[in-house]
Amino acid sequence: MATVATLAGAPARFPGGLREVAPRTWAWLQPNGGLGESNAGLILGDGASLLVDTLWDERLTRRMLGELAPLLAEAPLRHALVTHPDGDHWWGNAVLDAGVELLATAACDRAMRTEAPPRVLNAMAAAAGALRHVPGRVGATAARLHGQLAPFHWRGVRLRYADRTVEDGATLDVGGRPVRLLDLGPTHSPADAVVHVPDEGVVFSADLLFVGVTPIMWHGPVETWLAALEALLALDAGVYVPGHGPPCGRAEIEQLAAYWRWLRDGVAAQRAAGRSVGEAARALVRSPEQRAFAGWLNPERILVNVATICRAPGELSPPARARLLVQMNALGAELAAGR
Ligand SMILES: [Zn+2]
């Protein structure tokens, strides 16, 4: 059954749950595509199927697998593929049967092992919960962060890594259906693979595509993200399933490319004027050009995006990432208060 509210109880902007995006090709959608509200995919073949990503915790993943069960009766899961190393796409892996072979690119597998573990997020959620009633800026920032982390349950999450690594361009046989993996990163994260299902013209684009929500670039460079969007368009698919947000077509990819070009050029101009990352992000998010993207949730993500454009591309340490998450929510609290 389609869900009508987000995990945090906000009104859903699109129906959540299972959606058949093409024959024997399904998406699992979590509105509204915000932090941790990630999508997964299922490709059914004859007597075998492939899952694209699990979810941020085991409870959510179990619920998804329960809804998928009738589809899996005839085509059991043989493989699951992790698109990229952010926890919201694989921390549910441990609830899959041991016989399901887990696949990822070598870069993804490496980064999965260095990502901040669930206990770090538990500690962050607890700190945000404790600070959220403090008056002023600290409390407002903590309340936002707490609201985003509270729907997830990471206590006792067991991390399950890839059983086998696969290379860019590899074709998997999913019960007679060819499924191709393309490594288009790193840019959003240290490894960004997408899954192309050519027989039905579907691409599971993972976090190279955000729809209705501002994208977030943790790794960079922005040019790689722009090239990845070109590569997605070149696949000429009928349906693109983003990592966050509802399934879409070419227009949403072109709009995302417009955002990155605008931000890249805007950051260059701000930096030339001597502005800091925080100043540049605040100027750009309030500029008239930003209105082209005003319908997207989480405009405060611009802070992380500006910071990434301003530094050398690379993997962030967990503390650096946590700092950016806090700074981004501070900006989110400012914007929500109309400041
Ligand atoms: Zn994600």
Side-chain angles (χ1 to χ4, degrees), residues 2 16 26 33 45 49 69 100 105 110 142 162-163 169 205 214 220 231 239 250 258 260 262 277 304 311 332:
W26 298 75
S49 60
V100 176
T105 64
R110 238 186 342 264
D163 298 309
S205 317
T214 309
V239 184
R250 301 176 72 84
W260 287 125
W262 162 69
V277 165
V304 174
R311 70 182 174 88

Side-chain angles (χ1 to χ4, degrees), residues 144 148 285 298-304 328-329 331-332 335:
R144 279 188 77 81
Q148 291 173 63
V285 79
N298 300 114
E300 69 276 12
R301 289 179 172 186
I302 197 169
L303 189 128
V304 174
M328 173 181 95
N329 277 285
L331 176 56
L335 295 174

Side-chain angles (χ1 to χ4, degrees), residues 36 38 84 86 88-89 188 207 210 243-244:
S38 50
H84 69 289
D86 288 347
D88 57 331
H89 298 263
H188 159 75
D207 285 10
F210 288 75
H244 296 257

Side-chain angles (χ1 to χ4, degrees), residues 104-132:
T105 64
C108 180
D109 183 54
R110 238 186 342 264
M112 285 161 77
R113 293 166 195 273
T114 54
E115 256 258 313
R119 66 181 155 74
V120 171
L121 272 175
N122 261 329
M124 251 186 125
L131 290 171
R132 81 192 133 124

